[in-house]
Amino acid sequence: MNHADATPPPHTEDGHHVLIKGRRWRATDPALPDDEAQRLRKHLMAARRAVGAALRAGDTTAEKAARARVQTAKVALGERGTPWWEQSDEERRARWEEGLAELDSGTSQGQKA
């Protein structure tokens, strides 16, 4: 399936969550610019692949580092951590900018710099 052509999942009335297979998941921060969101999703998917590879290899150190990168990406996207709708515009921007800087530099918690 081409994800670029996929229909986005429905949102709750308040826009805070998406509904996937009957389950509510926190929605990505709608204020996040498209290019930053795309970069964060790229980091997220790479980190998820790294978790799988570490699990298959039985490498707990690599797994911990990869899971830290997943967490950093999810927080930067607004899908974990303080809800984006409870943050000021400045806090929201700082959240994704700091997350991207951390992921781009390879210094997520548990990662070697």
Side-chain angles (χ1 to χ4, degrees), residues 36-110:
E36 279 93 342
Q38 183 178 7
R39 286 174 51 211
L40 285 166
R41 284 190 202 93
K42 186 175 179 179
H43 280 295
L44 175 61
M45 298 317 295
R48 286 179 169 165
R49 286 189 300 273
V51 168
L55 287 170
R56 287 187 297 279
D59 185 341
T60 57
T61 301
E63 179 190 353
K64 182 178 177 182
R67 288 188 187 280
R69 293 194 327 267
V70 168
Q71 178 68 9
T72 299
K74 295 290 275 181
V75 169
L77 285 163
E79 296 174 7
R80 292 187 184 161
T82 304
W84 49 262
W85 57 90
E86 293 177 4
Q87 293 180 313
S88 68
D89 290 345
E90 295 79 23
E91 290 170 323
R92 291 164 78 177
R93 177 171 294 283
R95 184 196 67 242
W96 74 66
E97 286 178 349
E98 290 167 10
L100 273 170
E102 195 174 313
L103 290 163
D104 286 344
S105 70
T107 60
S108 286
Q109 180 182 352

